[in-house]
């Protein structure tokens, strides 16, 4: 009997461009990015790290609500988004707010999403995205549908969606990649493997040695990348996008990454399930540290530039929180009006009832 | 006008809308080349092409999930769930996702999706084919649930469902698919969703029914007439939202009501209807509102359907109770 598991797993070696010292280790796969683009990528990563720090602080002060920390995942989140075009459609999971912001969602609306205000979910005209999905896996089948729709419309664009390592155990994860495969739809499925689904390590999710190999079940391309290496993430996404818009179907990208913070700010304590050794091992892989070294060696980045970004981020966050504070409070009548195009009689009745209460 | 069975009227409605709106997409398990397991989509792929009418992998959650994705791209998806007992596989995509799309995006996106699905007993199907699960969807804000009882309504209601810009679950009772023919106009016409139909006027008791229980109620009404009892029969046609106005108007006239459903007593829509009546017309009631419903067990094994499913005798029995209260 021929056994093939080892064979399959050997097909999914980790793809890397930059090592931890910021050195190019894979010259021929180095993506074509201008100096300005490289600086912009760094700017976004630094900005997003500050956004995470400020969001945690604002959450602790009670000035933000639901928040899923992102520190550590900047390369994975922003490297994928940087490879997209404006017309591409993002279906994020709950941790993927940064991708939305860089795709065009105003910061104050991201804060309103966190607080639980519907205006936070109203994508501005031309921002192609859904708000963060709470049901793990649902964004995957929906992404297959978005991609099918783009293909039917003859658009040269893609649907990109994100889930975590735990999410790969869901039925909708498999159904999503399998539907996209069967219709050769232009979708990019990203699995951000930060090794833990709340407290459960990835080894408890599956016996598979990589998550990228799950693409085999759908008959689609899969690739595992160093998710702390923004150039590798960007290159893999760019390649998947090109293949997708050329009609070659979807790709599953597994990014090996880490979240330095807790799962969410709702009382999760990572010291219960993670060791200090593991944390410090992954801190050495910090995507910002590595990319900073790379840019400094090229003479493209300085402490001064970084401080400018940090100050700008802090100012904009302050202004955005202020703007979010100024957003009118939600009324039940508005919630009712957002239910249907034409309100059924029972909701018309309830609308009148609440409008009367609200006018008192 | 043409004589059509309900299934032909459904096919006709789908053809009408595929022609009328290029955004309409029909898809599901075996709906393409095969024309559907009940022939509801017969000939549609041949006429409109694989881009408009297509088969899917065997995965209900995926089917309903892609419908949401397609809706964001401006399409008007009409997916089929082969039997409504399989809706559990797709419950998140339906109640958790498409029902909420308009609300969660603050009215910037919508899901003009019509899920077609057969259900209903009396045709000896295997397990989880015939279950009446309309109550599960009707409890989800954002959804509408439509259940036609005849070919004419089936066509007009399906066209309205497809044209509706919010999600609709359109349930097709298997026993009614080919049980009788009726005159159905060949052109497009609509029947407003949320509007009931008074099938039979009466003065002594109101029978509120939907699905196959409309026919049973009509038969019961005929029998009751022989005893001198004039029953008014209301076919709800849409069970979410309910046409409370038509029900109350009838109750105010007859002062007695029996609500009839095929679903188990703890399921379906009957309890909601009874509540609305007691909140709005208690002073018009001469007797409590009674329900005809199936026993609160799992849907019957095939050979037990006959003793388990509610029928016109059960309706007559309940009517006599409210008349003699």
């Amino acid at each position: 009997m021929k056994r093939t598991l080892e064979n399959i797993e050997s097909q999914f070696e980790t793809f890397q461009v930059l090592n931890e010292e910021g050195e190019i280790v894979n010259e021929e796969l180095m993506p074509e990015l201008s100096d300005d683009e490289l600086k912009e990528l760094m700017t976004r990563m630094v900005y997003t790290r500050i956004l995470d720090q400020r969001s945690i602080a604002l959450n602790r002060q009670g000035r933000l609500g639901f928040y899923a920390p992102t520190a550590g995942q900047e390369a994975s989140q922003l490297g994928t988004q940087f490879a997209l075009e404006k017309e591409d459609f993002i279906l994020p999971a709950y941790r993927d707010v940064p991708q939305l912001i860089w795709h065009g969602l105003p910061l104050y609306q991201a804060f309103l999403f966190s607080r639980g205000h519907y205006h936070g979910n109203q994508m501005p005209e031309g921002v192609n995205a859904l708000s963060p999905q709470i049901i793990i896996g649902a964004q995957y089948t929906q992404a297959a549908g978005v991609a099918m729709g783009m293909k039917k419309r003859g658009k040269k664009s893609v649907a990109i969606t994100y889930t975590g390592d735990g999410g790969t155990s869901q039925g909708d994860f498999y159904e999503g990649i399998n539907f996209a495969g069967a219709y050769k739809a232009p979708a990019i499925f990203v699995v951000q493997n930060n090794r833990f689904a709340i407290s459960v390590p990835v080894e408890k999710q599956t016996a598979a040695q990589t998550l990228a190999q799950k693409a085999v079940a759908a008959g689609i391309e899969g690739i595992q990348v160093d998710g702390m290496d923004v150039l590798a993430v960007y290159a893999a996404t760019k390649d998947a996008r090109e293949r997708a818009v050329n009609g070659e179907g979807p790709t599953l990208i597994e990014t090996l990454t880490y979240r330095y913070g807790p799962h969410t700010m709702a009382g999760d304590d990572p010291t219960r399930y993670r060791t200090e050794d593991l944390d410090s091992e992954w801190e050495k892989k910090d995507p910002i540290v590595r990319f900073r070294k790379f840019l400094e060696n090229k003479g493209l980045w300085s402490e001064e530039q970084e401080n400018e970004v940090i100050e700008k981020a802090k100012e904009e966050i302050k202004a955005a929180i202020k703007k979010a504070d100024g957003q009118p409070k939600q009324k039940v009548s508005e919630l009712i009006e957002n239910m249907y195009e034409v309100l059924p009689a029972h909701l018309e009745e309830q609308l009148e009832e609440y409008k009367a209460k609200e006018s008192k | 006008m043409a004589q059509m069975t309900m299934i032909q009227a459904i096919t006709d409605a789908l053809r009408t809308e595929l022609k009328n709106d290029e955004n309409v997409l029909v898809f599901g398990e075996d709906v393409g080349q095969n024309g559907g397991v009940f022939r509801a989509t017969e000939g549609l792929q041949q006429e409109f092409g694989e881009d408009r009418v297509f088969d899917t992998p065997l995965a209900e959650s995926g089917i309903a999930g892609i419908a949401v994705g397609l809706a964001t791209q401006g399409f008007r998806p009409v997916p089929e769930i082969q039997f409504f007992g399989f809706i559990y596989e797709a419950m998140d995509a339906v109640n958790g996702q498409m029902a909420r799309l308009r609300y969660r995006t603050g009215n910037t996106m919508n899901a003009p999706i019509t899920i077609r699905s057969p259900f209903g007993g009396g045709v000896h199907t295997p397990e989880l084919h015939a279950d009446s699960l309309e109550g599960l969807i009707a409890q989800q804000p954002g959804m509408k649930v439509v259940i036609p009882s005849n070919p004419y309504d089936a066509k007009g209601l399906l066209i309205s469902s497809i044209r509706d810009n919010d999600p609709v679950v359109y349930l097709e009772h298997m026993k009614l698919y080919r049980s009788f023919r009726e005159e159905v106009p060949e052109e497009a016409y609509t029947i407003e969703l949320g509007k009931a139909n008074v099938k039979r006027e009466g003065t002594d008791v109101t029978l509120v029914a939907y699905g196959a229980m409309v026919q049973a109620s009509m038969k019961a009404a005929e029998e009751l007439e022989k005893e001198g009892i004039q029953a008014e029969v209301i076919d709800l046609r849409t069970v979410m939202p309910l046409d409370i106005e038509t029900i109350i108007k009838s109750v105010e006239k007859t002062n007695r009501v029996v609500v009839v459903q095929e679903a188990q007593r703890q399921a379906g829509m009957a309890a909601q209807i009874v509540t609305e009546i007691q909140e709005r017309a208690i002073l018009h009631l001469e007797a409590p509102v009674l329900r005809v419903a199936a026993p609160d067990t799992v849907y019957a094994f095939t050979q037990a359907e006959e003793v388990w499913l509610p029928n016109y005798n059960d309706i007559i029995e309940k009517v006599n109770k409210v008349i003699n209260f």
Side-chain angles (χ1 to χ4, degrees):
Chain A
M1 205 193 287
K2 200 179 157 203
R3 297 190 191 273
T4 56
L5 190 57
E6 204 177 309
N7 241 332
I8 288 171
E9 277 162 357
S10 69
Q11 308 292 311
F12 294 92
E13 280 171 24
T14 312
F15 164 55
Q16 193 185 51
V17 174
L18 269 189
N19 68 13
E20 288 171 33
E21 301 312 314
E23 298 156 352
I24 303 274
V25 292
N26 211 334
E27 191 70 57
E28 70 273 27
L29 292 168
M30 173 69 194
E32 281 178 37
L33 286 166
S34 69
D35 287 354
D36 280 348
E37 285 172 319
L38 290 169
K39 282 189 276 185
E40 175 63 17
L41 249 182
M42 183 62 180
T43 300
R44 292 183 181 192
M45 284 168 67
V46 171
Y47 192 111
T48 305
R49 179 67 59 89
I50 297 303
L51 177 60
D52 184 69
Q53 290 168 0
R54 293 300 305 139
S55 297
I56 288 170
L58 287 162
N59 168 281
R60 290 199 172 122
Q61 296 161 19
R63 299 186 71 195
L64 280 182
F66 173 76
Y67 183 68
T70 60
Q73 298 193 194
E74 292 86 355
S76 171
Q77 295 182 319
L78 306 183
T80 46
Q81 196 280 327
F82 202 66
L84 303 179
E85 301 294 334
K86 191 87 186 146
E87 59 267 28
D88 295 337
F89 195 103
I90 303 181
L91 296 99
Y94 49 78
R95 202 180 302 281
D96 303 311
V97 176
Q99 293 96 307
L100 289 180
I101 292 168
W102 295 111
H103 210 53
L105 179 70
L107 199 49
Y108 84 96
Q109 284 188 277
F111 290 153
L112 287 171
F113 160 77
S114 164
R115 289 177 173 182
H117 191 301
Y118 72 81
H119 181 50
N121 289 4
Q122 292 176 315
M123 294 295 148
E125 189 75 32
V127 177
N128 296 308
L130 278 167
S131 49
Q133 179 59 251
I134 298 297
I135 302 302
I136 297 169
Q139 71 275 28
Y140 260 55
T141 54
Q142 290 172 14
V146 172
M148 287 170 69
M150 288 171 166
K151 188 176 175 179
K152 284 182 188 296
R153 297 278 188 223
K155 286 190 196 165
K156 289 281 178 202
S157 56
V158 302
I160 187 167
T161 188
Y162 299 83
T163 193
D165 38 303
T168 62
S169 301
Q170 290 278 4
D172 273 358
F173 165 81
Y174 291 99
E175 290 185 30
I177 61 174
N178 187 57
F179 269 65
Y183 295 110
K184 255 193 172 190
I188 302 174
F189 296 101
V190 183
V191 173
Q192 302 189 82
N193 177 1
N194 63 24
R195 305 193 47 80
F196 288 90
I198 306 189
S199 67
V200 179
V202 66
E203 293 77 17
K204 292 247 164 68
Q205 297 293 340
T206 177
Q209 291 301 298
T210 71
L211 299 178
Q213 78 196 64
K214 292 184 179 267
V216 175
I220 66 171
E221 291 292 343
I223 179 171
Q224 185 186 65
V225 301
D226 180 345
M228 307 302 258
D229 169 3
V230 74
L231 295 177
V233 172
Y234 173 84
T237 313
K238 192 87 182 159
D239 180 61
R241 189 182 185 281
E242 263 170 41
R243 290 186 50 259
V245 296
N246 290 329
E248 291 171 54
T251 304
L252 181 71
I253 300 173
E254 175 191 8
T255 62
L256 295 174
T257 183
Y258 202 72
R259 61 168 155 84
Y260 296 140
H263 165 67
T264 66
M265 294 306 293
D268 175 44
D269 172 13
T271 63
R272 293 168 73 107
Y273 53 85
R274 283 196 320 218
T275 61
E276 269 179 42
D277 281 355
L278 190 65
D279 282 347
S280 67
E281 180 196 324
W282 279 89
E283 267 158 29
K284 285 184 208 134
K285 297 177 198 279
D286 191 321
I288 293 179
V289 172
R290 178 187 315 199
F291 198 47
R292 185 191 290 129
K293 283 182 190 164
F294 168 76
L295 291 180
E296 280 172 354
N297 289 341
K298 286 176 75 94
L300 292 174
W301 198 253
S302 65
E303 204 182 326
E304 199 189 347
Q305 276 168 290
E306 188 153 328
N307 284 334
E308 267 174 41
V309 176
I310 292 169
E311 285 317 307
K312 183 166 180 265
K314 286 181 178 169
E315 270 170 41
E316 288 182 2
I317 291 163
K318 219 174 174 179
I321 273 288
K322 210 174 158 198
K323 190 161 179 195
D325 288 343
Q327 186 67 28
K329 282 195 174 125
Q330 297 167 101
K331 293 178 184 156
V332 174
S333 59
E334 292 172 298
L335 304 183
I336 290 175
E337 281 164 343
N338 285 347
M339 283 303 302
Y340 295 92
E341 180 181 48
V342 181
L343 286 187
H346 67 282
L347 276 180
E348 278 289 0
E349 217 175 78
Q350 291 168 36
L351 182 67
E352 270 177 44
E353 204 177 297
Y354 280 95
K355 277 200 163 158
K357 275 190 197 175
E358 287 159 7
S359 66
K360 269 177 201 164
Chain B
M1 294 287 257
Q3 286 281 320
M4 288 187 201
T5 59
M6 191 167 94
I7 195 106
Q8 288 168 331
I10 287 166
T11 313
D12 196 48
L14 290 170
R15 182 179 292 111
T16 303
E17 287 313 281
L18 279 160
K19 237 184 249 173
N20 169 56
D21 182 350
E22 60 179 19
N23 292 314
V24 171
L25 300 175
V26 172
F27 54 92
E29 297 156 7
D30 312 288
V31 305
Q33 178 73 22
N34 190 44
V37 292
F38 290 105
R39 304 288 167 259
T41 54
E42 178 90 333
L44 298 180
Q45 188 181 70
Q46 289 76 1
E47 191 176 341
F48 297 96
E50 248 186 275
D51 205 41
R52 307 280 310 282
V53 181
F54 52 93
D55 289 318
T56 65
L58 204 168
E60 286 76 17
S61 186
I63 292 169
I66 63 166
V68 176
L70 286 163
T72 70
Q73 299 303 299
F75 287 98
R76 196 169 281 279
V78 188
E80 178 183 299
I81 298 295
Q82 201 158 67
F83 294 95
F84 204 55
F86 310 164
I87 197 65
Y88 294 116
E89 297 290 333
M91 273 308 257
D92 174 60
V94 178
N95 279 8
Q97 304 292 328
M98 65 180 71
R100 306 169 68 99
L101 190 65
R102 184 185 289 278
Y103 175 90
R104 80 185 288 261
T105 62
N107 212 353
T108 58
M109 287 188 193
N110 64 307
I113 299 167
T114 302
I115 297 178
R116 290 183 40 251
S117 190
F119 80 110
V123 290
H124 304 300
T125 50
E127 202 170 9
L128 263 172
H129 282 55
D131 293 55
S132 288
L133 304 174
E134 67 279 4
L136 296 178
I137 310 296
Q139 284 209 12
Q140 175 57 49
M143 295 303 298
K144 292 179 182 173
V145 183
V146 172
I147 307 181
S149 71
N150 59 73
Y152 179 86
D153 285 357
K155 180 173 173 180
L157 289 169
L158 183 52
I159 292 176
S160 294
S161 299
I162 294 172
R163 293 182 187 179
D164 198 285
N165 286 327
D166 290 301
V168 175
V169 165
Y170 179 93
L171 296 173
E172 305 166 4
H173 200 291
M174 284 183 274
K175 200 180 170 187
L176 301 175
Y177 266 156
R178 295 184 173 85
S179 60
F180 63 99
R181 285 173 187 275
E182 204 174 68
E183 287 291 328
V184 175
E186 278 163 70
E187 68 275 10
Y189 63 92
T190 57
I191 295 172
E192 194 181 338
L193 303 188
K195 290 283 173 239
N197 183 26
V198 180
K199 293 276 282 189
R200 189 184 200 279
E201 303 234 4
T203 48
D204 300 325
V205 62
T206 299
L207 299 177
V208 181
Y210 57 95
M213 290 299 109
V214 174
Q215 267 191 316
S217 299
M218 291 297 280
K219 189 165 179 195
E222 277 168 37
E223 296 296 316
L224 288 162
E225 191 173 20
K226 291 175 195 164
E227 297 166 31
I229 298 168
Q230 298 297 331
E232 179 147 303
V233 179
I234 296 177
D235 178 357
L236 287 173
R237 300 197 292 199
T238 300
V239 301
M240 183 68 222
L242 288 166
D243 184 354
I244 301 299
E245 202 185 326
T246 300
I247 297 169
I248 297 300
K249 215 172 120 196
S250 179
V251 173
E252 286 172 355
K253 177 170 69 170
T254 64
N255 315 116
R256 290 179 169 83
V257 197
V258 174
V259 184
V260 189
Q261 67 178 22
E262 182 174 316
Q264 294 89 336
R265 200 176 160 84
Q266 70 184 64
M269 294 306 298
Q272 182 70 17
I273 296 162
V274 173
T275 306
E276 293 287 352
I277 294 169
Q278 80 82 20
E279 281 186 352
R280 292 164 199 269
I282 197 162
L283 295 178
H284 292 273
L285 290 175
E286 296 287 347
V289 182
L290 298 185
R291 290 175 284 171
V292 172
D296 286 326
T297 71
V298 167
Y299 189 89
F301 285 102
T302 312
Q303 294 199 324
E305 273 187 325
E306 207 178 310
V307 292
W308 189 87
L309 282 168
N311 61 31
Y312 75 96
N313 282 319
D314 300 316
I315 302 169
I316 292 170
E317 197 180 299
K318 287 282 159 77
V319 168
N320 282 319
K321 270 195 183 166
V322 297
I323 295 281
N324 299 317
F325 179 78

